[in-house]
Amino acid sequence: MPFAAQDFTFAERAAQRESDARGEPYLLYRDEASAQRILSLGSRERLTVGRLHGSDLAIGWDPEVSRAHARLEQVGEKWTILDGLSRNGTFVNGERVLGRSRLRDHDVLRVGRTEMLFRDPLERGVETAPPANAARLAHVTDAQRRVLVGLCRPLATPGSSPASNGEIAAKLHLSVEAVRTHLKALFQRFEVPDLPQNRKRAELARRALASGVVGPRDLQAAD
């Protein structure tokens, strides 16, 4: 099933926070029943992905996944991904993998129709500081945070999409242009990759929730 970042429930986000607290890299994806799955990479050096039953991550429900589709391998302290014998390719943040590609916290992987989120909660680095880095998030202004809460508010209801610019503007008594300006800055602050607009907004909301900048209490008290 496709990875739907905007569909996380409070229970699913709680499970993600528990995984983050363990400090081990993991993959987050949805199975054939759309249930959230978290696969820890902490005790592994490599992981095979494919439609074969014997794969470490067997994706038998996706007909576009090849039998031996891709392989994740740890190189030093970093995780990488290699395309295996796939017919339809392996993608990271929408870019097709050619050879070996290093993975970074919050990268979105796609094999066939199935999307997976790569998390490395302890990742640190000057050139690739993760969106949840406390020093970076400390620079989110009060006004930006109010826009984030407005964006995330509908996600308190599973299956809902983030609020539109117009909805946020009406709730906060701002102009639509002011909301756009705040969102543009937030896309950069949270290092949201260049995605189609709806997915980009959903990814920003997901990162705001996953980082704790916006929490369940904010959504409950928003109205």
Side-chain angles (χ1 to χ4, degrees):
M1 298 293 289
F3 177 78
Q6 71 269 30
D7 289 344
F8 292 139
T9 66
F10 289 121
E12 288 172 340
R13 288 196 289 271
Q16 293 169 28
R17 287 192 292 271
E18 289 179 5
S19 295
D20 290 344
R22 285 191 285 271
E24 297 178 346
Y26 63 89
L27 290 178
L28 176 71
Y29 65 98
R30 294 193 181 278
D31 63 18
E32 67 271 32
S34 294
Q36 173 175 277
R37 299 293 182 184
I38 294 177
L39 177 59
S40 174
L41 300 174
S43 61
R44 303 172 183 268
E45 294 183 353
R46 64 184 58 84
L47 179 136
T48 57
V49 181
R51 209 170 66 249
L52 284 173
H53 180 70
S55 300
D56 297 317
L57 175 51
I59 308 179
W61 63 87
D62 187 339
E64 294 186 12
V65 171
S66 297
R67 291 164 60 84
H69 197 109
R71 185 170 73 253
L72 279 70
E73 290 185 349
Q74 191 172 21
V75 178
E77 296 182 353
K78 302 300 181 182
W79 278 89
T80 63
I81 188 168
L82 301 89
D83 187 64
L85 302 174
S86 75
R87 179 176 182 179
N88 296 316
T90 300
F91 297 81
V92 176
N93 299 326
E95 296 291 328
R96 187 161 187 164
V97 173
L98 300 174
R100 185 187 299 270
S101 179
R102 175 186 166 186
L103 296 178
R104 294 172 172 81
D105 189 30
H106 286 101
D107 277 348
V108 177
L109 319 181
R110 179 166 64 82
V111 295
R113 301 174 184 174
T114 302
E115 289 189 347
M116 299 171 284
L117 181 69
F118 173 77
R119 290 301 324 276
D120 187 355
L122 297 185
E123 180 181 317
R124 294 293 184 269
V126 174
E127 80 278 9
T128 56
N133 183 288
R136 293 177 62 84
L137 296 183
H139 295 294
V140 174
T141 67
D142 290 341
Q144 289 172 347
R145 188 176 180 282
R146 286 193 292 271
V147 169
L148 278 176
V149 172
L151 178 74
C152 297
R153 182 185 299 117
L155 303 184
T157 302
S160 298
S161 299
S164 68
N165 289 353
E167 290 169 337
I168 298 170
K171 189 68 179 180
L172 299 181
H173 305 290
L174 296 173
S175 68
V176 171
E177 187 57 38
V179 172
R180 288 198 188 101
T181 299
H182 285 310
L183 287 175
K184 183 177 180 180
L186 288 164
F187 288 141
Q188 295 177 346
R189 179 66 60 197
F190 282 81
E191 298 180 350
V192 178
D194 189 16
L195 300 168
Q197 191 60 27
N198 287 343
R199 288 189 59 195
K200 191 172 184 178
R201 294 165 65 84
E203 177 63 10
L204 174 60
R206 188 196 61 74
R207 294 190 180 201
L209 290 164
S211 69
V213 172
V214 177
R217 290 185 178 181
D218 295 313
L219 304 188
Q220 292 170 353
D223 291 327

